[in-house]
Amino acid sequence: MDFQPMAYLDWVREHALSPRIRFNLAASAVPERDPSSLPPVSSPSSATARLAAYYNMPEEMFLTVGGTSSAIYVICAALLSPGDVAIVETPTYEPLRAVPESLGARVIRVPRPHESAYSLDWDRLEALVARDRPRLVVLSDYHNPSGVGLASEDLVRLARLAHAADFRVFLDTVYLDFCDGPVRCPARLSPRFIVGSSLTKVYGLGSLRFGWVVTMDRAVGLRLRRAHDHMMVVHARPSEEAAERALAAGEDLRAEAWALAREAMPIVARWVDETPGIDWVPPAAGVFAFPRLPRGTDARALVDLLEERYETLAAPGNFFDAPGYLRIGVGRGAEVVREGLARISEALARLVGSNR
Ligand SMILES: Cc1ncc(COP(=O)(O)O)c(C=O)c1O
């Protein structure tokens, strides 16, 4: 097995955690929370029982895993054999492409273009399905990097196509609980769907490494469990206990995430409006946006300059297969966003000046 390096994860470790960065717009989550601050539960049961109640799905359909990262691996390892075709969205979060590739799958990309507001390119997807007979289609919802959601009609159409052409759909929903209204789990829509998620992004509990996989298809559920038995067997008990408390307090934690986004995202909207050459598709919810930079700007060069001279960081679109874009996270709050964006404007002006 040839495990590819993950350029984005290497960059995060090397740059995004540096104490030299005062205005960090590179994060995709709310600030990290201390698990010991979670209120106790009055009648303890189990994290899986809480998950089932929270998402209103039967308990036996959940498998708890080590974060969404493990969900990605377990799902791909359980469903893909070398030579199988996996159709993966582009742009995307790098592991969604790299894990199937490392497992020997032939990865083919389906666009979610900025021009069509990051919805699925259905003509392309249907043509690829007919031509390449995929075993798995891989999508994020909400989409990383754009924060845009898949429309419910698209999910229904996807379920029908998956049934007719005999493939499965892996939906990475780690950002979906940023949604307004009650939490929803798209695994309920079709036994063809396998959903992976975690407490990292919306709940600020990445340190727990608590995630899950859900499917209504029992045979697939069994394959997932068998794959997991080759990795972790059981989840870490202290993490399960804290996850149970987090899920019991889930609605309060979601409300905090909402308040953060509601305060900080309008600052990004104003900046996009006021900055010549920049446009965006506003995210459906959540704590990041993915504006398109002025024509000809290389986001990597911009980010290197931001880090070197402006104590500021954002995630360059290059890591998501979109070099002319910048992912801007607002999780550190309004003040950091305001100052960080002002510095991005300065760096952009300098970069454009030096390119003349
Ligand atoms: C789409 C997506 N999936 C999975 C992950 C990793 O999540 P976790 O911390 O739950 O492993 C990330 C983190 O950035 C992500 O953006």
Side-chain angles (χ1 to χ4, degrees), residues 2 5 21 29 32 37 73 78 87 104 187 237 256 258 269 279 293 312 335 355:
D2 180 20
I21 303 299
E32 194 68 27
S37 70
Y73 198 81
I87 296 180
R237 187 77 201 133
E256 281 178 33
W258 253 96
D279 71 330
L293 296 167
T312 299
E335 278 321 303
N355 285 343

Side-chain angles (χ1 to χ4, degrees), residues 33-104:
R33 189 185 298 280
D34 177 357
S36 68
S37 70
L38 294 164
V41 284
S42 47
S43 48
S45 53
S46 72
T48 314
R50 293 278 173 186
L51 270 175
Y54 196 57
Y55 292 97
N56 194 19
M57 299 269 297
E59 196 175 327
E60 63 273 16
M61 290 175 184
F62 288 84
L63 169 68
T64 58
V65 296
T68 320
S69 305
S70 296
I72 296 170
Y73 198 81
V74 167
I75 292 167
C76 292
L79 295 177
L80 292 170
S81 300
D84 283 346
V85 169
I87 296 180
V88 180
E89 66 185 8
T90 180
T92 200
Y93 174 63
E94 188 181 28
L96 294 177
R97 169 191 60 73
V99 170
E101 269 176 10
S102 288
L103 288 163

Side-chain angles (χ1 to χ4, degrees), residues 28 66-69 72 93 96 140 144 172 174-175 198 200-201 209:
S28 57
T68 320
S69 305
I72 296 170
Y93 174 63
L96 294 177
S140 53
N144 186 6
D172 178 330
V174 72
Y175 299 104
S198 79
T200 299
K201 304 294 180 181
R209 301 286 74 221

